[in-house]
Amino acid sequence: MINQDPKKPVRKAVFPVAGLGTRFLPATKAIPKELLPIVDRPLIQYAVDEAREAGIEELIFVTGRGKTSIVEHFDTAYELEATMTERGKSLDALEPTRIKPGNLVTVRQQVPLGLGHAIWCARAIVGDEPFAIFLPDELMIGQGDGTGGCMKQMVDAYNHVGGNLISVLEVPHEDVSSYGVIAPGERSGALTEVKGLVEKPKIEDAPSNLIISGRYILQPDVMHALETQEQGAGGEIQLTDAMARMIGSQPFHAVTFAGRRFDCGSKLGFIEATLALALEREDMGEEVRAMAKRMLG
């Protein structure tokens, strides 16, 4: 059943956080990559903040072995808070980590079979509602002009068109083989009708240079598609393949994100995000700029 009622909000978000983070070893041997900080805020915190800005409060973490500290980050730390209070220190820095009781649920992805499988693991909690998906490795920063973050822009579009939405960005055509790519239909402003999806196509086979960028709003029907989805690229169950099977039977649109994306799954992207956000901080931007100038000599 398609949810086209703009009054029924997207209330749930799935965060696939079961990955091993091997590209950041040895840092991620004991610390989940989602807790690596961009300045002083872990990656997962940026994604959760983006969800809450969009009005989404029910958070579903698909975790794996060794990932319990992600949940602990959003738990109440009685000893820490008591000690800070006794010493007269503000608790404001901890405010973003507070989640209402019952609004954070975890499920286990016991075997690493890909993104599609991770999403399918959350099927019982998603139920028959539309839901959002956040890939925390992709740090999405809004323009600060009132349009909001990536998911806020997508929820606003969803309230008009319903169905399924994915976030896209334009990249140089020679880079498309690293991403999922859409086959575009009619365009209206930031909205593009999606006619097809291809996971990591060859450059000559790519239908466009609009890449899927780690944010989704999907109808629960995708869970049924994932139930029978065969392994795709990389021997994994690909979410892109399951979504492609839904095109034509439900409305499917892409929202071109007005903002910046940092690929924090790569070391260079992680460093770029850290530097970019540090430069914009009122409490350190000037010092970081001066430090960078000294280092560049």
Side-chain angles (χ1 to χ4, degrees):
M1 180 178 178
I2 303 171
N3 171 34
Q4 292 184 328
D5 179 4
K7 295 180 182 178
K8 183 178 181 181
V10 178
R11 302 186 307 124
K12 299 178 179 180
V14 177
F15 300 80
V17 292
L20 297 175
T22 53
R23 281 188 283 181
F24 282 85
L25 286 171
T28 50
K29 181 180 179 181
I31 301 171
K33 64 177 179 177
E34 294 83 7
L35 289 182
L36 296 178
I38 301 296
V39 186
D40 55 6
R41 182 172 294 195
L43 274 173
I44 189 65
Q45 185 71 63
Y46 286 94
V48 167
D49 291 346
E50 183 185 329
R52 293 195 288 198
E53 179 199 27
I56 300 170
E57 292 289 344
E58 297 184 33
L59 314 177
I60 306 164
F61 289 179
V62 182
T63 67
R65 289 176 58 84
K67 293 299 188 99
T68 55
S69 54
I70 297 176
V71 179
E72 291 172 3
H73 173 75
F74 294 101
D75 201 355
T76 300
Y78 292 107
E79 299 88 347
L80 174 62
E81 294 187 12
T83 301
M84 292 178 67
T85 301
E86 288 174 5
R87 295 177 181 177
K89 294 186 176 182
S90 171
L91 300 179
D92 290 349
L94 297 177
E95 190 58 36
T97 69
R98 301 182 191 278
I99 303 291
K100 292 179 182 178
N103 278 10
L104 193 157
V105 180
T106 65
V107 297
R108 282 290 188 112
Q109 182 187 22
Q110 295 172 318
V111 184
L113 291 177
L115 176 59
H117 179 259
I119 301 305
W120 181 76
C121 288
R123 65 197 181 282
I125 306 170
V126 167
D128 60 356
E129 295 187 46
F131 65 102
I133 300 172
F134 290 78
L135 305 189
D137 278 4
E138 301 199 30
L139 178 56
M140 313 291 271
I141 304 296
Q143 297 183 133
D145 59 356
T147 56
C150 185
M151 187 53 65
K152 175 67 165 59
Q153 294 176 29
M154 293 180 69
V155 167
D156 289 345
Y158 172 82
N159 290 338
H160 288 289
V161 298
N164 304 274
L165 290 98
I166 53 179
S167 170
V168 295
L169 290 168
E170 227 172 315
V171 300
H173 203 78
E174 57 268 22
D175 295 340
V176 294
S177 296
S178 299
Y179 305 97
V181 179
I182 73 165
E186 291 186 19
R187 299 190 181 192
S188 176
L191 269 181
T192 303
E193 184 183 8
V194 177
K195 292 289 192 180
L197 298 167
V198 184
E199 183 67 27
K200 299 179 180 178
K202 295 179 180 178
I203 294 175
E204 61 270 21
D205 297 332
S208 75
N209 66 334
L210 292 172
I211 64 161
I212 304 171
S213 57
R215 300 293 185 270
Y216 313 75
I217 295 176
L218 299 178
Q219 296 299 316
D221 306 65
V222 73
M223 296 298 189
H224 300 299
L226 288 168
E227 186 87 38
T228 56
Q229 184 63 50
E230 297 181 356
Q231 293 181 350
E236 298 181 336
I237 297 174
Q238 297 288 348
L239 179 63
T240 303
D241 294 340
M243 292 191 299
R245 292 167 60 190
M246 297 166 64
I247 295 172
S249 63
Q250 297 186 353
F252 221 114
H253 293 85
V255 179
T256 301
F257 172 47
R260 294 171 293 164
R261 167 189 177 267
F262 298 98
D263 178 12
C264 293
S266 73
K267 295 174 186 177
L268 281 178
F270 190 91
I271 294 169
E272 180 186 10
T274 302
L275 183 58
L277 269 60
L279 285 168
E280 294 172 4
R281 290 269 294 255
E282 291 184 5
D283 61 338
M284 65 173 66
E286 287 305 316
E287 290 87 346
V288 173
R289 187 169 283 103
M291 177 179 65
K293 289 179 179 178
R294 287 197 305 273
M295 293 177 69
L296 292 171

